[in-house]
Amino acid sequence: MADKILLALSTFPNHETARDVSNELVTKNFAACANILPGVQSIYRWQEKIESGNETLVLFKLSEDRQPAFQEKLRSLHPYEVPEIIFIPVSSGLPEYLRWVVESCS
């Protein structure tokens, strides 16, 4: 079952936006869970300049079959022009938890 679970990462400009978007994605079954981690310091290149700032990181857990719909919905809700949306396959985990993720996204 682990090969059917993804961990998605996305950063947001602030906690409120992260919470609102996460709530929408979980409520509408695009993701089973969202963990919001405030206080991430980001340093990145954007439009030929080095930028830095505080962001809020969200870790989403979702089933692999929801990936296209999740990405489309997150992109539509996200305030950034080019949002960070990264998917990491889950290689293993507690079987009951992985089952819960799949069931929560259906």
Side-chain angles (χ1 to χ4, degrees), residues 10-14 17-18 21 74-83:
S10 189
T11 51
F12 294 86
N14 55 57
T17 304
V21 170
L74 176 53
R75 181 102 195 235
S76 75
L77 297 170
H78 209 290
Y80 290 168
E81 181 181 341
V82 180

Side-chain angles (χ1 to χ4, degrees), residues 13-28:
N14 55 57
H15 184 81
E16 279 184 7
T17 304
R19 185 189 62 235
D20 292 346
V21 170
S22 297
N23 188 58
E24 176 79 8
L25 291 168
V26 172
T27 299
K28 299 287 172 80

Side-chain angles (χ1 to χ4, degrees), residues 29 98-106:
N29 296 77
L98 302 178
R99 191 174 312 108
W100 171 80
V101 170
V102 171
E103 290 169 359
S104 296
C105 291
S106 57

